[in-house]
Amino acid sequence: MKIEKKILICGGGIAGPACAYWLHKYGYSVVIVEKAKSFRDGGQNVDIKGAGQQVIKMMGLAEEIEAKNTLEQGQKYLDAAGKVVATFPKGALGTLTADFEILRGDFARVLFDATKDDCDYRMGRFVTHLENNGAGMSVTFDNGETEDFELVICAEGISSSTRSMVLAEQTHLRYLGAYMAFFKIPRRPEDDNWAYTVNGIGGTFITLRPGNEKETTVLITFLRKDHDIEGEKPAARRELLLQALKGRGTVADRISADLDTVKDFYFGPMSQVQASTWSNGRFVLLGDAAHCPTAFTGEGTALALVGSYVLAGEIKRSVDYAEAFHAYEKLLRPYVEASQKRISPRFIRLVHVNTRLGISLIRLAQRFFASKIVQNLLKPSATKREKDVAEDFVFPSYS
């Protein structure tokens, strides 16, 4: 096998397999290493917004994704007692629900199925050492084996260990002043296909969303000045989360009661990845590893899909890797930075209201924007929404 047509991708989530799809299409041999020992289904809801919808249509995957849709009908805001404050159906101005709603693991499975026969997936493997050797990169894996590749693409996510081997000094995490947790709890008979959001006193923001026939997904974010909780102490994370839920109403009480049943649990600071450069030599970042905007934006999946398309395309048409990486970053960075700028510590504080007066005011705003008069005046038409998707990002043609 010729090294100049052999590429390693670290990370088998969404960005990695999406990029592998295009690279294989362009004639490259792709190896994907994933630290997890087995494929992880399920997970949290992901919204495929804007230009991301164009990419899945170009990949011919829209029907498969639609078949696995969570069927979320829209978003309802509740008060502490569980009473509906405002309703935003799918397609309404201000709704959380995108045109494509799918569980992260289900989407990753679609991408895996689309690439598994053409790419070399190696589960339970990760990189321990990288070294430029002139014509390519020499990569050592955790099992001690060493292999040469033309390029290495890092798509491991916000906490990438491989990124730290090459671009540690060029990358930092911008803390936004809040912590976030997402996980799944047992679905109850009263759960339906609506997302339910509660603004809790003290700056706690809670959302329940449809998962599958047995589970409901949970997203909790809450204000915290410092980000000092050690990742290796589950008891401390659980206690902090319980404190954020205490006294926040019926939805919070339900989550607290089910917390002991949770197995797939993420908890950590709400941060953005900001890198001064996305590449070094034959090594390049992709997706959240390069530019995570935080899950709170709902735009990370779209950024990963668009970035995968552009990176693979530039590798295909450029005379060498340096030109390809430069063109990829030049095209994508403005799109990424616009997404990241929509979320700031100030915006996070505004959304996570602290006081009862603040909650009363935000509920008035929710009722106002959910009213038929405002929706009729401001809700974008189907034609306008399609136009916005088409104009979200100008795609180069790599055919």
Side-chain angles (χ1 to χ4, degrees):
M1 183 182 296
K2 294 182 179 181
I3 188 175
E4 65 266 21
K5 299 291 286 185
K6 185 180 175 186
I7 294 177
L8 173 67
I9 297 178
C10 305
I14 290 175
C19 191
Y21 171 90
W22 294 108
L23 287 170
H24 171 74
K25 189 179 182 70
Y26 300 146
Y28 289 86
S29 174
V30 183
V31 174
I32 302 175
V33 292
E34 167 56 47
K35 184 178 290 188
K37 295 183 179 179
S38 60
F39 192 88
R40 295 190 297 176
D41 289 298
Q44 285 296 300
N45 305 62
V46 295
D47 312 319
I48 306 176
K49 297 180 178 180
Q53 297 179 16
Q54 297 186 65
V55 177
I56 62 171
K57 289 176 182 177
M58 288 189 286
M59 297 173 76
L61 299 177
E63 289 187 7
E64 292 182 52
I65 292 170
E66 190 63 42
K68 296 180 180 292
N69 198 296
T70 63
L71 304 179
E72 188 171 286
Q73 296 177 0
Q75 181 183 18
K76 294 182 179 180
Y77 284 92
L78 308 179
D79 63 16
K83 182 180 178 180
V84 176
V85 173
T87 301
F88 294 84
K90 183 177 181 178
L93 173 72
T95 185
L96 174 73
T97 309
D99 291 334
F100 288 93
E101 293 284 348
I102 186 171
L103 295 180
R104 183 188 181 281
D106 291 345
F107 185 29
R109 174 67 70 176
V110 170
L111 294 172
F112 173 76
D113 288 342
T115 55
K116 64 181 180 182
D117 294 333
D118 303 316
C119 302
D120 180 5
Y121 277 86
R122 303 177 188 178
M123 306 301 290
R125 292 272 79 85
F126 58 91
V127 174
T128 58
H129 184 71
L130 293 163
E131 185 176 344
N132 280 290
N133 61 10
M137 290 202 78
S138 178
V139 181
T140 303
F141 299 101
D142 61 297
N143 61 356
E145 294 180 356
T146 299
E147 197 169 344
D148 291 335
F149 297 88
E150 179 186 358
L151 305 173
V152 175
I153 298 172
C154 178
E156 291 178 335
I158 187 171
S159 301
S160 169
S161 58
T162 309
R163 180 186 63 207
S164 64
M165 299 178 191
V166 183
L167 291 169
E169 294 183 2
Q170 292 82 6
T171 307
H172 81 278
L173 302 183
R174 181 196 185 200
Y175 180 57
L176 297 176
Y179 265 70
M180 63 191 309
F182 44 84
F183 48 90
K184 296 167 287 188
I185 58 175
R187 185 179 175 93
R188 295 186 179 182
E190 64 268 24
D191 290 344
D192 54 22
N193 288 331
W194 285 82
Y196 290 93
T197 298
V198 181
N199 292 97
I201 191 73
T204 299
F205 191 85
I206 306 168
T207 299
L208 301 183
R209 304 185 73 176
N212 54 40
E213 59 184 14
K214 294 183 179 180
E215 296 171 319
T216 292
T217 65
V218 180
L219 170 65
I220 301 170
T221 57
F222 57 94
L223 296 177
R224 183 175 175 81
K225 184 178 180 181
D226 301 315
H227 51 107
D228 55 357
I229 299 299
E230 296 181 32
E232 67 273 12
K233 295 184 178 179
R237 301 200 307 271
R238 184 178 182 277
E239 182 58 32
L240 189 60
L241 184 56
L242 285 171
Q243 289 300 316
L245 292 170
K246 188 176 181 180
R248 268 63 172 186
T250 56
V251 172
D253 291 343
R254 169 191 171 177
I255 296 169
S256 297
D258 287 338
L259 205 54
D260 286 336
T261 68
V262 173
K263 296 179 180 179
D264 187 8
F265 180 78
Y266 172 84
F267 182 95
M270 186 188 294
S271 301
Q272 293 178 336
V273 175
Q274 296 188 335
S276 59
T277 181
W278 295 345
S279 63
N280 185 350
R282 295 177 179 271
F283 180 90
V284 64
L285 300 175
L286 175 66
D288 280 354
H291 47 65
C292 176
T294 81
F296 206 74
T297 65
E299 297 177 0
T301 301
L303 294 179
L305 290 170
V306 175
S308 298
Y309 172 85
V310 173
L311 177 58
E314 292 302 328
I315 290 172
K316 168 186 178 288
R317 76 174 179 184
S318 299
V319 296
D320 58 30
Y321 68 88
E323 179 183 298
F325 294 168
H326 175 75
Y328 154 67
E329 187 167 342
K330 183 178 179 180
L331 282 167
L332 196 66
R333 187 176 280 276
Y335 183 60
V336 165
E337 291 181 348
S339 174
Q340 290 190 333
K341 287 177 182 177
R342 284 192 277 271
I343 298 290
S344 65
R346 183 177 180 181
F347 174 82
I348 294 299
R349 289 193 299 270
L350 181 65
V351 173
H352 294 74
V353 287
N354 257 314
T355 65
R356 296 188 186 280
L357 175 61
I359 290 176
S360 297
L361 292 174
I362 205 166
R363 286 176 182 161
L364 285 174
Q366 289 163 355
R367 292 189 182 100
F368 173 76
F369 284 105
S371 66
K372 290 184 178 180
I373 294 175
V374 173
Q375 286 292 324
N376 288 337
L377 285 173
L378 302 179
K379 176 185 173 181
S381 65
T383 302
K384 176 65 164 57
R385 288 165 60 198
E386 290 178 3
K387 183 180 179 182
D388 289 343
V389 169
E391 296 178 351
D392 186 41
F393 183 83
V394 179
F395 285 91
S397 175
Y398 299 115
S399 59

